[in-house]
Amino acid sequence: MDNDKPLQPETEDETETELVPQSSDKTLYCEAEPPPTVEKVKPARENSETDLEIEDNEKFFTTGQKELYLEACKLVGVVPVSYFIRNMEESYVNLNHHGLGPRGTKAIAIALVSNTAVTKLELEDNCIMEEGVLSLVEMLQENYYLQEMNISNNHLGLEGARIISDFFERNSSSIWNLELSGNDFKEESAAPLCQALSTNYRIKKLDLSHNQFSDIGGEQLGQMLAINVGLTSLDLSWNNFHTRGAVALCNGLRGNVTLTKLDLSMNGLGNEGAVALGEVLRLNSCLVYLDVGGNDIGNEGASKISKGLESNESLRVLKLFLNPISMDGAILLILAIKRNPKSRMEELDISNVLVSEQFMKTLDGVYAVHPQLDVVFKAVQGLSAKKTIFLLTNPMKLIQNYADQHKITVMDFFKSLNPTGTMKMSVDEFQKVMIEQTKVPLNQYQVREVIKKLDEKTGMVNFRSAQAPRRSPFSARGPGWADVSSPGCPVYTLLLGASPTRLFPACQGWAPLSTLLLIPNSLV
């Protein structure tokens, strides 16, 4: 676009254009001149160096955000997106799967140059290609309010990777979360991206999953990780890394001091790659989350990883789902955690492994040392029906029954376990007291179910989450029905004809009022 051209062509009798109400559908889709009255005025940034700026300053300062976008759509020849018009003053805008194409993306970019509201922009699956990416990076040169951007699945290819890399190498943006999944990035795209990331410290979260990087790309990414001081989360799942690429990535991770989350699932690391992973876990003190699911890692690889777990003090989540690990490999992993008194492991995902009762006994010993740990497995082979019922009994129902018997609330029960008497407690402390308390005996699996119910996902449990609204025994399922199973209700006597029958809170079901008479026991 030529810088000398204004955004909207001049028209005759512009000031006499009929006004259209703001709520009208014509405002959203009409190709007519936009109304001169505006709801808000947002000034543009001065000294622009991008061709997305409107040169007619007087008109720019008197044009609202919606009208600006409508003009941009007329200029590039696309139909305006009504969703964007309705939400362009919100902080989050989701334009995924809108079929924008390069020109539609350019219109969005023009409207966002001076936008101060949108902080997260989703543009996945819009076929924006390199032309659309160029419009976006030009917009980002002026817009310092946008912080998160998703441009996944847009066929960017090598040229798109170069445009993005040239821009982010200059650190001239406020973007900290960038999603580039599924953009046909191959080996040659890795070099410019890694060069930009080697010096960029602003990007904290990067998604490069579902691309076509293989071992050469792994080597370049490993070199980048060795010197990068910005990334905290990196998703490289669903690429083509094998042993060579895995070793290179792990070499870069050894000295990395910022990355806390790494997803390498659905690659081909194998047992040899697991050797390098074990060494990373032994030396790296920053990584908190590691997903290596679906990487053809067997018992031999699990053994190497377990060596790293014996001394690791930072990792909390390790996902090994969809690897050919048997119960023998699973035992090596949990015993390694048990032998490490400083382990902070909270979740070990081996959910495709079928374990035995002997494994469960070993796991109970691990839980005694690390009560915060949750091991996810497939099932227990040969577990008796009686023990299955014990493991699966709803713990909240057991606690509710105890509370009903002692005429207290569930919140009172939990609060009594907290030494401080407050409504919140750390997950670790809560898990420990729940195992040790004898009022309502629960096993490890039931305790973890309770934690899932109360966990705020902040490392704290909130007892208020256990509060359930009590229903009156006469709350209607429909006209003429009463609930005779409401937990915590007084015991009632049901009179059917001349034969009284006692109903207890544990009874289940509803009863028609026309066939029963409920009388509190205190009156019988």
Side-chain angles (χ1 to χ4, degrees):
M1 180 171 66
D2 194 335
N3 283 344
D4 294 331
K5 293 182 181 180
L7 183 59
Q8 177 183 347
E10 295 181 359
T11 58
E12 294 182 3
D13 300 328
E14 180 176 356
T15 57
E16 298 179 5
T17 303
E18 182 180 353
L19 297 182
V20 180
Q22 292 296 315
S23 61
S24 170
D25 289 340
K26 293 182 180 179
T27 304
L28 304 183
Y29 297 102
C30 184
E31 293 286 340
E33 296 291 332
T37 57
V38 297
E39 198 171 340
K40 286 189 178 181
V41 176
K42 295 188 179 181
R45 290 182 174 273
E46 297 181 356
N47 301 323
S48 170
E49 297 179 356
T50 171
D51 66 353
L52 297 180
E53 182 193 21
I54 303 174
E55 294 295 336
D56 190 342
N57 290 332
E58 180 178 355
K59 190 171 185 177
F60 185 81
F61 282 103
T62 57
T63 302
Q65 293 287 297
K66 296 178 182 178
E67 288 72 26
L68 176 61
Y69 174 60
L70 291 173
E71 290 182 3
C73 289
K74 291 177 65 176
L75 180 68
V76 300
V78 297
V79 176
V81 178
S82 59
Y83 170 86
F84 182 59
I85 295 174
R86 294 193 304 270
N87 293 275
M88 63 192 310
E89 295 183 0
E90 302 295 329
S91 61
Y92 174 66
V93 173
N94 186 337
L95 289 167
N96 293 341
H97 321 298
H98 271 70
L100 296 177
R103 290 187 301 164
T105 303
K106 187 170 187 174
I108 297 291
I110 291 173
L112 289 175
V113 166
S114 60
N115 186 289
T116 62
V118 179
T119 60
K120 183 173 182 178
L121 177 65
E122 301 261 10
L123 291 172
E124 182 175 352
D125 183 31
N126 278 288
C127 199
I128 70 177
M129 298 186 287
E130 56 266 25
E131 182 183 342
V133 170
L134 186 59
S135 298
L136 290 173
V137 298
E138 288 177 344
M139 175 269 294
L140 290 174
Q141 292 178 25
E142 301 300 317
N143 185 319
Y144 287 88
Y145 297 92
L146 193 60
Q147 300 175 25
E148 301 179 71
M149 187 166 67
N150 177 9
I151 48 176
S152 298
N153 299 303
N154 273 298
H155 308 288
L156 303 186
L158 175 59
E159 188 58 31
R162 286 174 175 166
I163 293 171
I164 293 169
S165 301
D166 289 344
F167 174 72
F168 284 105
E169 191 172 1
R170 298 193 296 268
N171 287 293
S172 57
S173 169
S174 296
I175 296 291
W176 63 267
N177 181 5
L178 181 62
E179 296 180 52
L180 297 169
S181 175
N183 272 308
D184 305 321
F185 292 155
K186 300 180 181 179
E187 298 290 49
E188 58 269 24
S189 299
L193 288 170
C194 290
Q195 182 177 344
L197 291 168
S198 295
T199 57
N200 186 293
Y201 60 87
R202 295 180 185 271
I203 296 179
K204 305 298 181 184
K205 186 176 180 180
L206 179 64
D207 184 352
L208 289 171
S209 64
H210 292 269
N211 282 295
Q212 300 173 44
F213 299 124
S214 58
D215 287 342
I216 296 176
E219 291 177 344
Q220 293 168 333
L221 286 163
Q223 294 171 7
M224 179 273 294
L225 287 173
I227 58 178
N228 178 276
V229 292
L231 281 174
T232 60
S233 176
L234 178 61
D235 189 346
L236 294 172
S237 61
W238 293 92
N239 277 281
N240 298 312
F241 302 118
H242 294 88
T243 300
R244 179 178 156 195
V247 171
L249 281 168
C250 291
N251 286 339
L253 285 171
R254 289 184 183 185
N256 186 284
V257 295
T258 59
L259 195 70
T260 60
K261 183 176 181 179
L262 177 63
D263 190 344
L264 285 170
S265 61
M266 301 304 167
N267 281 282
L269 307 187
N271 289 328
E272 294 184 19
V275 174
L277 284 174
E279 190 67 9
V280 167
L281 294 177
R282 187 177 69 86
L283 299 174
N284 184 287
S285 59
C286 188
L287 206 59
V288 172
Y289 178 105
L290 177 61
D291 188 345
V292 286
N295 269 284
D296 198 28
I297 297 173
N299 289 344
E300 180 184 347
S303 174
K304 302 301 181 182
I305 292 175
S306 67
K307 295 294 183 183
L309 293 176
E310 289 182 0
S311 56
N312 184 278
E313 299 179 16
S314 63
L315 194 68
R316 297 189 180 189
V317 177
L318 175 60
K319 292 186 175 291
L320 286 162
F321 177 59
L322 285 180
N323 282 295
I325 296 174
S326 70
M327 187 173 61
D328 292 338
I331 288 177
L332 292 175
L333 292 167
I334 63 173
L335 289 179
I337 297 172
K338 182 180 181 180
R339 285 192 290 267
N340 182 358
K342 295 183 178 180
S343 174
R344 302 182 68 185
M345 282 289 295
E346 296 176 359
E347 179 182 344
L348 174 62
D349 185 351
I350 48 172
S351 48
N352 61 304
V353 178
L354 184 65
V355 302
S356 67
E357 289 193 52
Q358 182 59 44
F359 176 90
M360 298 301 298
K361 292 179 181 179
T362 304
L363 187 56
D364 285 340
V366 179
Y367 285 154
V369 178
H370 297 288
Q372 81 283 356
L373 178 65
D374 184 10
V375 178
V376 184
F377 47 84
K378 184 176 182 180
V380 183
Q381 188 176 21
L383 194 64
S384 65
K386 182 178 180 180
K387 288 187 177 180
T388 300
I389 293 174
F390 172 68
L391 290 176
L392 299 179
T393 301
N394 187 332
M396 294 303 294
K397 286 186 177 180
L398 297 176
I399 295 170
Q400 181 69 66
N401 289 341
Y402 174 88
D404 292 340
Q405 292 170 10
H406 292 79
K407 298 182 179 180
I408 61 174
T409 66
V410 173
M411 281 198 304
D412 291 334
F413 168 78
F414 287 128
K415 192 174 179 181
S416 68
L417 302 177
N418 191 351
T420 64
T422 60
M423 299 303 293
K424 288 189 176 183
M425 197 174 183
S426 73
V427 171
D428 291 350
E429 292 176 352
F430 178 77
Q431 190 165 21
K432 184 177 181 180
V433 299
M434 284 299 293
I435 292 295
E436 294 176 350
Q437 59 87 25
T438 58
K439 298 177 181 178
V440 184
L442 301 174
N443 57 52
Q444 292 280 354
Y445 317 102
Q446 292 169 320
V447 170
R448 288 201 295 279
E449 286 300 313
V450 175
I451 291 174
K452 289 178 183 179
K453 172 76 174 176
L454 306 179
D455 192 3
E456 292 187 316
K457 306 301 181 185
T458 59
M460 302 291 290
V461 294
N462 188 344
F463 302 150
R464 289 187 176 88
S465 302
Q467 186 176 17
R470 292 182 179 274
R471 298 176 299 175
S472 164
F474 297 102
S475 298
R477 185 182 73 172
W481 287 80
D483 179 10
V484 295
S485 63
S486 181
C489 291
V491 177
Y492 285 82
T493 296
L494 171 61
L495 299 179
L496 288 173
S499 303
T501 304
R502 294 176 63 81
L503 285 178
F504 294 90
C507 295
Q508 300 295 318
W510 293 75
L513 291 174
S514 59
T515 61
L516 62 84
L517 176 63
L518 291 173
I519 304 174
N521 283 347
S522 58
L523 301 179
V524 176

